[in-house]
Amino acid sequence: MTAKRLGTGDEVGARYRLEEVAGTGGMATVWRASDERLERTVAIKMLSDTLAADASAVARFAREARTHAAIHHPNLVRVYDYSVTAPQPYLVMEYIDGDTLSERLDRGGFSPLAIQTLAHELLSALACVHDHGILHRDIKPANVLLDDEQSARLTDFGLARVEDSSGITQPEEVVGTLRFLAPEVVEGQPATRQSDLFALGVLLRTVGGETKPLPKVGDLISWLTRPDQNSRPPDAHAALAQLDPTVVLERAPAAPPMTTPPSQAEHARRRASTPGRQSGRLRSRVIAVSALVAAAGGAALVVADSGGGVAHTNAPRSMSAKTRSTAATTAYTRPATVDQHLQALADAVRRAAKP
């Protein structure tokens, strides 16, 4: 039985109302839709009728959904939901109200500074994708969306695949868009991170057109598109560092080298000199001295902890209001060290205990 062809106003997944076709292709149709449960606009990518009847195509579609949903980055389109059990498998994504980079290029070129910004955003997104062990394999202007702030969003992971444990994909048929394929992929070699970087370099060169890029961007494009993949950047992070050296400072610092463990005496000294440890010792001694205060006749002791602690008054309930008021003025302010602090406490106790 043939599934009903979906159209405007139809409901998908008991929550998404189709509103308008946003784009079509040989493999899928993308709809703008309304998520009636969360009351937001979304994009729904629906597999074509032909592919929906192909079990292997449906499996690839599910892999795309899981792959894309696992990665979060401000320059990637987010995936919210998917289903391959529906009559027509679908993928629910963040809706970007803007053009593809390809459509934007039809209206004119980019300024040198805009090309540099685009390079930074897409390299950052690609670094995140690669850090998750994913190869995109189809980087081109049609797969980059521009949001209302003209920020780039890399999308369409339909040809993406996971790297194997050696960081290299298994031999396979050539996939991708010919104009953006690296020479080694055209020759039938497996895709790598360097082939993704090559495609990004061709994209940036295409965006530049007749515009002379900024020197750093021009050098970057030349590096990304070298014929020998071993002469290209080792990864997107290295390319980012060449484009903007300050990016290196934003990455997580490397783990410190292993050193000889400190001796027990040195370890104890460090613990004792730590502000938090001093505070712990101080509070223990305050409790002991407070007990002595009570034994000495119930004099009060007000502890003003300059390290952020609370004031404490050890005044017996049987003390008169006047005595409590007088006792409360016997204040103590924490000196610099624990030993000085203990001595000052003892002096305060003696003063408070005098008749």
Side-chain angles (χ1 to χ4, degrees), residues 23-319:
T24 58
M27 298 176 61
T29 298
V30 177
W31 286 81
R32 188 188 71 206
S34 173
D35 181 345
E36 298 185 333
R37 186 178 303 171
L38 296 180
E39 298 183 346
R40 64 182 176 186
T41 300
V42 296
I44 298 185
K45 180 178 181 179
M46 308 199 71
L47 208 56
S48 68
D49 293 339
T50 301
L51 293 180
D54 183 339
S56 61
V58 172
R60 287 195 300 270
F61 191 75
R63 184 183 65 212
E64 174 192 357
R66 292 191 297 270
T67 298
H68 198 161
I71 310 173
H72 301 283
H73 188 277
N75 296 112
L76 294 174
V77 175
R78 296 180 60 189
V79 166
Y80 298 138
D81 190 13
Y82 80 98
S83 173
V84 294
T85 59
Q88 197 162 5
Y90 63 85
L91 174 65
V92 183
M93 303 175 289
E94 176 184 13
Y95 179 75
I96 305 298
D97 188 13
D99 295 331
T100 66
L101 180 56
S102 181
E103 292 168 336
R104 170 64 179 79
L105 286 173
D106 290 339
R107 300 202 305 271
F110 283 64
S111 69
L113 184 57
I115 297 171
Q116 178 174 298
T117 300
L118 180 68
H120 189 286
E121 292 174 342
L122 292 180
L123 275 173
S124 180
L126 195 57
C128 179
V129 170
H130 288 171
D131 286 347
H132 281 77
I134 306 298
L135 300 175
H136 189 282
R137 303 199 304 168
D138 198 20
I139 296 173
K140 59 185 179 182
N143 287 340
V144 175
L145 297 174
L146 299 175
D147 63 21
D148 54 3
E149 296 180 351
Q150 296 302 294
S151 292
R153 303 291 197 92
L154 184 61
T155 188
D156 202 337
F157 285 69
L159 297 181
R161 68 165 298 162
V162 180
E163 293 176 302
D164 67 13
S165 58
S166 67
I168 302 174
T169 56
Q170 298 299 322
E172 58 188 19
E173 71 278 9
V174 176
V175 296
T177 302
L178 184 59
R179 181 181 175 187
F180 299 91
L181 288 180
E184 65 273 11
V185 176
V186 174
E187 293 172 359
Q189 296 181 35
T192 63
R193 299 184 181 198
Q194 282 70 36
S195 55
D196 269 356
L197 290 171
F198 181 93
L200 180 54
V202 176
L203 178 148
L204 294 173
R205 181 176 290 159
T206 301
V207 170
E210 299 300 322
T211 302
K212 184 178 180 179
L214 297 174
K216 281 187 177 181
V217 177
D219 292 343
L220 173 68
I221 292 173
S222 296
W223 193 18
L224 294 175
T225 56
R226 289 179 181 174
D228 180 6
Q229 62 178 319
N230 294 322
S231 298
R232 297 175 208 144
D235 55 35
H237 290 293
L240 264 176
Q242 196 239 315
L243 182 66
D244 183 1
T246 62
V247 173
V248 177
L249 301 178
E250 298 173 3
R251 298 178 64 183
M258 295 294 292
T259 58
T260 304
S263 64
Q264 290 186 353
E266 175 65 11
H267 185 63
R269 186 191 68 77
R270 292 179 183 178
R271 286 168 60 89
S273 64
T274 302
R277 296 294 179 182
Q278 289 190 358
S279 181
R281 289 179 62 192
L282 175 60
R283 280 175 169 73
S284 297
R285 296 186 186 191
V286 167
I287 292 173
V289 174
S290 295
L292 292 175
V293 171
L301 180 66
V302 179
V303 179
D305 187 351
S306 62
V310 295
H312 167 67
T313 303
N314 184 30
R317 293 179 183 276
S318 59
M319 187 179 292

